[in-house]
């Protein structure tokens, strides 16, 4: 299995899930500016949207979109129990993957990372996010994970919440979210992923120092 990734982007959730599953995988870095892959290909030719994550499955087929990629990894390694089997619990997993993708990833952080977004757009996104973060904070109060145990939805949520640091979204009003982040960052799969990707991100910055400005994902 190959995971196309950009350091510290949403694809980090896939790396966390693969580490948690103890899966063998090849990690192929994509340069956000040139769209060249670390194995010398044009990513836009592989995937016209040129977005990460993108997974090349064992049969050679491609799978995009974090919610789908993460569920595929969970299904492929069932012994790691990264997704519930029970029907209603599985629907709840899907609910949290969708919430993270639409309400937080796209609705909040993509707006804040967008260097072309106006101040008004950013302020609006921040304002709207308060109800989402309050809802999440209430849900996490007294819970260790989004569901009853660690799942791929936690891998994705942790990844997205880590962007509150570079975007300076204050988490102080959300004590349960803060505690959740502190707990999760001690998990070996998350600590391991954060050992790898910041160095790769710094490498990406260094490569672009004198040229094009890289997307400030972190
Ligand atoms: N809907 C996609 C969004 C993926 C996405 O926004 N990926 C960003 C990184 S987090 C990306 O590839 N950005 C590169 C670019 O826009 O050039 C998903 O949920 O996977």
């Amino acid at each position: 299995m190959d995971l196309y990734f950009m350091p510290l982007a949403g694809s980090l959730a896939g790396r966390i899930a693969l580490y948690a599953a103890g899966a063998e995988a090849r990690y192929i870095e994509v340069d956000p500016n040139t769209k060249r892959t670390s194995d010398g290909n044009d990513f836009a030719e592989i995937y016209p949207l040129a977005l990460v994550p993108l997974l090349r499955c064992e049969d050679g087929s491609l799978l995009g979109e974090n919610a789908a990629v993460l569920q595929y990894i969970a299904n492929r390694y069932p012994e790691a129990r990264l997704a519930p089997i029970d029907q209603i619990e599985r629907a709840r997993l899907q609910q949290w993957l969708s919430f993270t993708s639409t309400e937080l990833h796209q609705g909040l952080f993509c707006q804040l990372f967008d260097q072309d977004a106006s101040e008004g757009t950013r302020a609006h996104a921040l304002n709207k996010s308060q109800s989402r973060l309050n809802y999440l904070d209430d849900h996490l109060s007294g819970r260790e994970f989004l569901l009853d145990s660690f799942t791929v939805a936690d891998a994705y949520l942790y990844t997205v919440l880590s962007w509150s640091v570079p975007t300076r979204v204050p988490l102080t009003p959300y004590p349960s979210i803060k505690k959740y982040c502190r707990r999760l960052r001690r998990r070996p799969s998350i600590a391991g992923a954060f050992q790898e990707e910041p160095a790769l991100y710094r490498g990406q910055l260094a490569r672009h120092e004198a040229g094009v400005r890289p997307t400030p994902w972190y």
Side-chain angles (χ1 to χ4, degrees):
M1 202 180 281
D2 296 342
L3 178 71
Y4 290 91
F5 76 100
M6 293 176 192
L8 300 174
S11 44
L12 184 72
R15 185 189 288 270
I16 293 170
L18 288 163
Y19 284 5
E24 282 291 317
R26 202 158 66 112
Y27 297 90
I28 303 177
E29 185 172 344
V30 179
D31 185 298
N33 291 105
T34 63
K35 308 289 184 210
R36 299 296 299 177
T37 66
S38 53
D39 60 355
N41 292 304
D42 178 355
F43 188 50
E45 271 180 18
I46 298 170
Y47 186 34
L49 292 178
L51 294 171
V52 294
L54 181 74
L55 197 68
R56 190 180 293 282
C57 308
E58 278 112 336
D59 65 359
S61 64
L62 294 170
L63 187 65
E65 295 294 321
N66 238 329
V69 165
L70 291 170
Q71 288 192 79
Y72 178 80
I73 293 171
N75 291 343
R76 175 68 187 71
Y77 301 97
E79 61 289 349
R81 298 176 185 276
L82 294 172
I85 299 160
D86 175 75
Q87 223 178 6
I88 182 66
E89 281 303 298
R90 188 60 182 240
R92 290 203 173 97
L93 176 89
Q94 180 64 59
Q95 176 190 344
W96 285 112
L97 288 169
S98 299
F99 172 86
T100 301
S101 172
T102 58
E103 304 300 333
L104 299 181
H105 183 163
Q106 297 298 327
L108 175 60
F109 290 105
C110 277
Q111 311 300 320
L112 300 183
F113 279 128
D114 186 344
Q115 290 164 315
D116 297 327
S118 67
E119 269 312 306
T121 302
R122 297 156 65 82
H124 180 63
L126 262 176
N127 195 32
K128 252 179 87 177
S129 73
Q130 287 174 21
S131 61
R132 279 65 174 169
L133 292 171
N134 271 324
Y135 174 74
L136 180 63
D137 196 62
D138 280 351
H139 178 76
L140 290 174
S141 158
R143 306 185 62 98
E144 204 170 335
F145 307 108
L146 285 168
L147 302 179
D148 288 342
S149 59
F150 180 81
T151 65
V152 289
D154 295 299
Y156 191 19
L157 179 61
Y158 185 86
T159 296
V160 167
L161 290 173
S162 75
W163 300 333
S164 62
V165 177
T167 56
R168 297 193 180 87
V169 172
L171 292 183
T172 316
Y174 312 107
S176 299
I177 297 180
K178 282 198 79 162
K179 279 190 219 147
Y180 169 85
C181 289
R182 272 202 296 272
R183 267 196 315 277
L184 260 70
R185 88 169 61 113
R186 292 197 292 266
R187 294 186 74 80
S189 57
I190 292 183
F194 274 88
Q195 233 163 27
E196 290 288 318
E197 295 215 359
L200 296 172
Y201 182 74
R202 285 193 294 275
Q204 178 192 299
L205 284 183
R207 280 196 300 280
H208 289 288
E209 226 166 31
V212 204
R213 209 153 41 128
T215 316
W217 286 115
Y218 197 77

